[in-house]
Amino acid sequence: MEYRITAELTLPVGATGLDGLQQQGAAALLSEWLDRVATVEGPEGVEITPYDHRLKVSSTGAVVELLVDAPALSFAENGAEALLHEILERTELLADWQVGKCEVTVSDAELAEALEGRPEEEPVATRVGLPIEDVTAQRRRLLALSSRLRAFELESFGPPTEDPDSRFLAAGALIDRASVLTEELLLDIMTLDEEAESLDKDEAHWTADDSEGLFVLHDLPVRYRHHYDLSFAKKFLITASVVYSRLTASPWVPPASTAESLALYLLVENAKELLVSFAAVDPDEVTAMFAVFESHAYRHHDHEWLYLEDLDTADPEDSAADPLGFLAQDAHSWFVPYPDVENPALHPYVIEDDD
């Protein structure tokens, strides 16, 4: 697919502006190198082919427009940036210059064509009910975030799909929703605290079952909603923060408790919704990608049992209906590490005094 890239090259910090002669020299050097390039190796070893360029040099740097052929937007942008970095490194007189913004710029018609997908399907922007420019902006934002997911390789989302950007988008969605869920948990804690005080009730017994409009706590298993008090909410915030921070480091450390598994579960579900509803990724592709991801991310899957509808009507005395013993548990016990986890790295705040 053909993409038009606009990139900014800037002078080193503190450098004086270029005079007319220096501008001509910089333009000549950049043009010479750009004319030489045949192919560039981008992310995942995928080659992109630049076959035309425009260049404008000013006293503060240069703006480069590249026309490239690449299999996806992310490959085009990352490959073009790699190319410009290499040119600057190999050109002694420009070695201190910096690559600034480097992104795809296309017309609305080109965007529509790029995002339509299969000919027999309606355009993805129509499917999600958003303007084409909003879908494209969302996808570009998630692609930029994808490099922060260092705990997993792209293969953790399965093989490439018909949308070459989808695995990058999935990685970016996890990073994005980790930030959003953390903020929403903070708001839930504030709501629990404020409502308990305003109604002159005992804080220790005011729970998510007494509140309306909570974000994250109301997405946890409904059967235990009366257990989600202020203490639980604070512990779950710390637990989720620990799990989400592991996404940005390698190697991945799987969830060490039911609470950690639930935190990751909520993250995955929110990432799925973001990809389908706002980034126009095919729902079947999203389901397939995260099925593979979950096989890499979890060590235990006991959290799934908590969402079974049958558990809501099960007899607490029927061990066959509740083989994991969840009906007899208090939700606060979810913070206890799994028995087979050696030396779990628990945050001190979630460890009870009597543990």
Side-chain angles (χ1 to χ4, degrees), residues 78 91-92 110 115 122 158 164 178 194 212 222 228 257 275 284-285 302 327 339:
N78 293 337
T91 309
E92 184 177 351
E110 290 170 326
L115 289 176
E122 60 181 331
E194 291 172 0
E212 296 182 1
V222 175
Y228 308 150
S257 67
L275 292 173
D284 291 338
E285 290 188 1
D302 59 326
L327 293 178

PDB file of all heavy atoms in Angstrom, residues 78 91-92 110 115 122 158 164 178 194 212 222 228 257 275 284-285 302 327 339:
ATOM      1  N   ASN A  78       7.527   3.667  10.867  1.00  0.00           N
ATOM      2  CA  ASN A  78       8.749   3.229  11.540  1.00  0.00           C
ATOM      3  C   ASN A  78       9.905   3.043  10.568  1.00  0.00           C
ATOM      4  O   ASN A  78      11.059   3.346  10.886  1.00  0.00           O
ATOM      5  CB  ASN A  78       8.489   1.920  12.294  1.00  0.00           C
ATOM      6  CG  ASN A  78       7.543   2.107  13.455  1.00  0.00           C
ATOM      7  OD1 ASN A  78       7.408   3.209  13.975  1.00  0.00           O
ATOM      8  ND2 ASN A  78       6.868   1.054  13.856  1.00  0.00           N
ATOM      9  N   THR A  91      25.814  10.967   7.383  1.00  0.00           N
ATOM     10  CA  THR A  91      26.207  12.263   6.832  1.00  0.00           C
ATOM     11  C   THR A  91      26.861  13.076   7.936  1.00  0.00           C
ATOM     12  O   THR A  91      26.185  13.607   8.819  1.00  0.00           O
ATOM     13  CB  THR A  91      24.975  13.011   6.286  1.00  0.00           C
ATOM     14  OG1 THR A  91      24.256  12.132   5.412  1.00  0.00           O
ATOM     15  CG2 THR A  91      25.396  14.254   5.522  1.00  0.00           C
ATOM     16  N   GLU A  92      28.159  13.159   7.896  1.00  0.00           N
ATOM     17  CA  GLU A  92      28.916  13.771   8.992  1.00  0.00           C
ATOM     18  C   GLU A  92      28.445  15.177   9.322  1.00  0.00           C
ATOM     19  O   GLU A  92      28.310  15.549  10.491  1.00  0.00           O
ATOM     20  CB  GLU A  92      30.409  13.792   8.629  1.00  0.00           C
ATOM     21  CG  GLU A  92      31.293  14.320   9.749  1.00  0.00           C
ATOM     22  CD  GLU A  92      32.762  14.274   9.389  1.00  0.00           C
ATOM     23  OE1 GLU A  92      33.100  13.684   8.344  1.00  0.00           O
ATOM     24  OE2 GLU A  92      33.562  14.840  10.149  1.00  0.00           O
ATOM     25  N   GLU A 110      -7.869   9.040   0.461  1.00  0.00           N
ATOM     26  CA  GLU A 110      -6.872   7.991   0.641  1.00  0.00           C
ATOM     27  C   GLU A 110      -7.089   7.252   1.955  1.00  0.00           C
ATOM     28  O   GLU A 110      -6.913   6.033   2.038  1.00  0.00           O
ATOM     29  CB  GLU A 110      -5.472   8.597   0.596  1.00  0.00           C
ATOM     30  CG  GLU A 110      -5.064   9.085  -0.789  1.00  0.00           C
ATOM     31  CD  GLU A 110      -3.779   9.897  -0.752  1.00  0.00           C
ATOM     32  OE1 GLU A 110      -3.550  10.617   0.237  1.00  0.00           O
ATOM     33  OE2 GLU A 110      -3.003   9.809  -1.716  1.00  0.00           O
ATOM     34  N   LEU A 115      -8.700   2.259   4.818  1.00  0.00           N
ATOM     35  CA  LEU A 115      -9.389   1.644   5.941  1.00  0.00           C
ATOM     36  C   LEU A 115     -10.620   0.836   5.552  1.00  0.00           C
ATOM     37  O   LEU A 115     -11.289   0.268   6.394  1.00  0.00           O
ATOM     38  CB  LEU A 115      -9.807   2.718   6.947  1.00  0.00           C
ATOM     39  CG  LEU A 115      -8.662   3.357   7.732  1.00  0.00           C
ATOM     40  CD1 LEU A 115      -9.200   4.474   8.606  1.00  0.00           C
ATOM     41  CD2 LEU A 115      -7.951   2.319   8.584  1.00  0.00           C
ATOM     42  N   GLU A 122     -18.596  -3.124   4.336  1.00  0.00           N
ATOM     43  CA  GLU A 122     -18.746  -1.681   4.412  1.00  0.00           C
ATOM     44  C   GLU A 122     -17.509  -1.087   5.056  1.00  0.00           C
ATOM     45  O   GLU A 122     -16.811  -1.760   5.809  1.00  0.00           O
ATOM     46  CB  GLU A 122     -19.981  -1.325   5.229  1.00  0.00           C
ATOM     47  CG  GLU A 122     -19.951  -1.826   6.658  1.00  0.00           C
ATOM     48  CD  GLU A 122     -21.210  -1.472   7.402  1.00  0.00           C
ATOM     49  OE1 GLU A 122     -21.814  -0.440   7.065  1.00  0.00           O
ATOM     50  OE2 GLU A 122     -21.583  -2.221   8.320  1.00  0.00           O
ATOM     51  N   GLY A 158      -0.608 -13.961  18.344  1.00  0.00           N
ATOM     52  CA  GLY A 158      -0.891 -14.869  17.248  1.00  0.00           C
ATOM     53  C   GLY A 158      -0.229 -14.441  15.957  1.00  0.00           C
ATOM     54  O   GLY A 158       0.531 -13.465  15.906  1.00  0.00           O
ATOM     55  N   PRO A 164      -2.672  -5.727   8.802  1.00  0.00           N
ATOM     56  CA  PRO A 164      -1.278  -5.849   9.247  1.00  0.00           C
ATOM     57  C   PRO A 164      -0.970  -5.050  10.503  1.00  0.00           C
ATOM     58  O   PRO A 164       0.013  -5.327  11.186  1.00  0.00           O
ATOM     59  CB  PRO A 164      -0.481  -5.299   8.046  1.00  0.00           C
ATOM     60  CG  PRO A 164      -1.415  -5.368   6.888  1.00  0.00           C
ATOM     61  CD  PRO A 164      -2.785  -5.149   7.449  1.00  0.00           C
ATOM     62  N   ALA A 178      -4.573   0.445  30.398  1.00  0.00           N
ATOM     63  CA  ALA A 178      -3.953   0.351  31.723  1.00  0.00           C
ATOM     64  C   ALA A 178      -3.967   1.709  32.410  1.00  0.00           C
ATOM     65  O   ALA A 178      -4.240   1.821  33.607  1.00  0.00           O
ATOM     66  CB  ALA A 178      -2.526  -0.180  31.605  1.00  0.00           C
ATOM     67  N   GLU A 194     -16.528   9.401  49.480  1.00  0.00           N
ATOM     68  CA  GLU A 194     -17.411  10.560  49.605  1.00  0.00           C
ATOM     69  C   GLU A 194     -18.846  10.156  49.927  1.00  0.00           C
ATOM     70  O   GLU A 194     -19.512  10.790  50.753  1.00  0.00           O
ATOM     71  CB  GLU A 194     -17.372  11.372  48.306  1.00  0.00           C
ATOM     72  CG  GLU A 194     -16.044  12.077  48.069  1.00  0.00           C
ATOM     73  CD  GLU A 194     -15.968  12.716  46.698  1.00  0.00           C
ATOM     74  OE1 GLU A 194     -16.966  12.608  45.945  1.00  0.00           O
ATOM     75  OE2 GLU A 194     -14.918  13.316  46.388  1.00  0.00           O
ATOM     76  N   GLU A 212     -23.801   3.853  43.008  1.00  0.00           N
ATOM     77  CA  GLU A 212     -24.130   3.792  41.595  1.00  0.00           C
ATOM     78  C   GLU A 212     -23.067   4.534  40.798  1.00  0.00           C
ATOM     79  O   GLU A 212     -22.422   5.445  41.305  1.00  0.00           O
ATOM     80  CB  GLU A 212     -25.508   4.419  41.330  1.00  0.00           C
ATOM     81  CG  GLU A 212     -26.666   3.676  42.003  1.00  0.00           C
ATOM     82  CD  GLU A 212     -28.005   4.303  41.678  1.00  0.00           C
ATOM     83  OE1 GLU A 212     -28.028   5.293  40.915  1.00  0.00           O
ATOM     84  OE2 GLU A 212     -29.017   3.811  42.203  1.00  0.00           O
ATOM     85  N   VAL A 222     -20.388  -9.617  39.921  1.00  0.00           N
ATOM     86  CA  VAL A 222     -21.507  -8.963  40.604  1.00  0.00           C
ATOM     87  C   VAL A 222     -21.835  -9.644  41.929  1.00  0.00           C
ATOM     88  O   VAL A 222     -22.190  -8.981  42.903  1.00  0.00           O
ATOM     89  CB  VAL A 222     -22.745  -8.962  39.684  1.00  0.00           C
ATOM     90  CG1 VAL A 222     -23.953  -8.392  40.415  1.00  0.00           C
ATOM     91  CG2 VAL A 222     -22.452  -8.163  38.424  1.00  0.00           C
ATOM     92  N   TYR A 228     -16.948  -5.290  48.059  1.00  0.00           N
ATOM     93  CA  TYR A 228     -16.018  -4.294  47.532  1.00  0.00           C
ATOM     94  C   TYR A 228     -16.152  -2.995  48.312  1.00  0.00           C
ATOM     95  O   TYR A 228     -16.790  -2.037  47.881  1.00  0.00           O
ATOM     96  CB  TYR A 228     -16.283  -4.042  46.044  1.00  0.00           C
ATOM     97  CG  TYR A 228     -16.316  -5.298  45.188  1.00  0.00           C
ATOM     98  CD1 TYR A 228     -17.114  -5.347  44.042  1.00  0.00           C
ATOM     99  CD2 TYR A 228     -15.573  -6.428  45.524  1.00  0.00           C
ATOM    100  CE1 TYR A 228     -17.156  -6.481  43.257  1.00  0.00           C
ATOM    101  CE2 TYR A 228     -15.617  -7.566  44.736  1.00  0.00           C
ATOM    102  CZ  TYR A 228     -16.409  -7.594  43.608  1.00  0.00           C
ATOM    103  OH  TYR A 228     -16.454  -8.735  42.830  1.00  0.00           O
ATOM    104  N   SER A 257      -2.064 -13.910  41.893  1.00  0.00           N
ATOM    105  CA  SER A 257      -3.224 -14.096  42.757  1.00  0.00           C
ATOM    106  C   SER A 257      -4.493 -13.923  41.934  1.00  0.00           C
ATOM    107  O   SER A 257      -4.448 -13.457  40.785  1.00  0.00           O
ATOM    108  CB  SER A 257      -3.205 -13.075  43.897  1.00  0.00           C
ATOM    109  OG  SER A 257      -3.393 -11.761  43.389  1.00  0.00           O
ATOM    110  N   LEU A 275     -10.484  -1.515  20.694  1.00  0.00           N
ATOM    111  CA  LEU A 275     -10.083  -1.875  19.334  1.00  0.00           C
ATOM    112  C   LEU A 275     -11.281  -1.990  18.395  1.00  0.00           C
ATOM    113  O   LEU A 275     -11.236  -1.522  17.258  1.00  0.00           O
ATOM    114  CB  LEU A 275      -9.319  -3.201  19.352  1.00  0.00           C
ATOM    115  CG  LEU A 275      -7.941  -3.181  20.016  1.00  0.00           C
ATOM    116  CD1 LEU A 275      -7.379  -4.592  20.120  1.00  0.00           C
ATOM    117  CD2 LEU A 275      -6.973  -2.302  19.232  1.00  0.00           C
ATOM    118  N   ASP A 284     -13.707 -10.388  15.041  1.00  0.00           N
ATOM    119  CA  ASP A 284     -13.187 -11.754  15.027  1.00  0.00           C
ATOM    120  C   ASP A 284     -11.664 -11.762  15.185  1.00  0.00           C
ATOM    121  O   ASP A 284     -11.111 -12.651  15.847  1.00  0.00           O
ATOM    122  CB  ASP A 284     -13.579 -12.450  13.721  1.00  0.00           C
ATOM    123  CG  ASP A 284     -15.080 -12.720  13.641  1.00  0.00           C
ATOM    124  OD1 ASP A 284     -15.724 -12.768  14.711  1.00  0.00           O
ATOM    125  OD2 ASP A 284     -15.599 -12.860  12.521  1.00  0.00           O
ATOM    126  N   GLU A 285     -10.995 -10.788  14.566  1.00  0.00           N
ATOM    127  CA  GLU A 285      -9.546 -10.698  14.722  1.00  0.00           C
ATOM    128  C   GLU A 285      -9.177 -10.374  16.166  1.00  0.00           C
ATOM    129  O   GLU A 285      -8.208 -10.919  16.716  1.00  0.00           O
ATOM    130  CB  GLU A 285      -8.970  -9.630  13.783  1.00  0.00           C
ATOM    131  CG  GLU A 285      -9.016 -10.003  12.316  1.00  0.00           C
ATOM    132  CD  GLU A 285      -8.261  -9.011  11.438  1.00  0.00           C
ATOM    133  OE1 GLU A 285      -7.692  -8.040  11.988  1.00  0.00           O
ATOM    134  OE2 GLU A 285      -8.252  -9.201  10.208  1.00  0.00           O
ATOM    135  N   ASP A 302      -8.577 -19.130  37.318  1.00  0.00           N
ATOM    136  CA  ASP A 302      -9.660 -19.233  38.290  1.00  0.00           C
ATOM    137  C   ASP A 302     -10.589 -18.023  38.244  1.00  0.00           C
ATOM    138  O   ASP A 302     -11.773 -18.128  38.586  1.00  0.00           O
ATOM    139  CB  ASP A 302      -9.095 -19.394  39.699  1.00  0.00           C
ATOM    140  CG  ASP A 302      -8.192 -18.241  40.101  1.00  0.00           C
ATOM    141  OD1 ASP A 302      -7.498 -17.704  39.218  1.00  0.00           O
ATOM    142  OD2 ASP A 302      -8.188 -17.870  41.291  1.00  0.00           O
ATOM    143  N   LEU A 327     -17.662 -19.638  46.713  1.00  0.00           N
ATOM    144  CA  LEU A 327     -18.863 -19.176  47.402  1.00  0.00           C
ATOM    145  C   LEU A 327     -18.615 -18.961  48.890  1.00  0.00           C
ATOM    146  O   LEU A 327     -19.307 -18.165  49.532  1.00  0.00           O
ATOM    147  CB  LEU A 327     -20.006 -20.169  47.190  1.00  0.00           C
ATOM    148  CG  LEU A 327     -20.528 -20.271  45.754  1.00  0.00           C
ATOM    149  CD1 LEU A 327     -21.616 -21.326  45.664  1.00  0.00           C
ATOM    150  CD2 LEU A 327     -21.063 -18.925  45.289  1.00  0.00           C
ATOM    151  N   PRO A 339      -1.009 -20.848  45.697  1.00  0.00           N
ATOM    152  CA  PRO A 339      -0.109 -21.727  46.466  1.00  0.00           C
ATOM    153  C   PRO A 339       1.170 -22.104  45.730  1.00  0.00           C
ATOM    154  O   PRO A 339       2.200 -22.345  46.371  1.00  0.00           O
ATOM    155  CB  PRO A 339      -0.984 -22.974  46.727  1.00  0.00           C
ATOM    156  CG  PRO A 339      -2.391 -22.485  46.625  1.00  0.00           C
ATOM    157  CD  PRO A 339      -2.364 -21.407  45.580  1.00  0.00           C
TER     158      PRO A 339
END
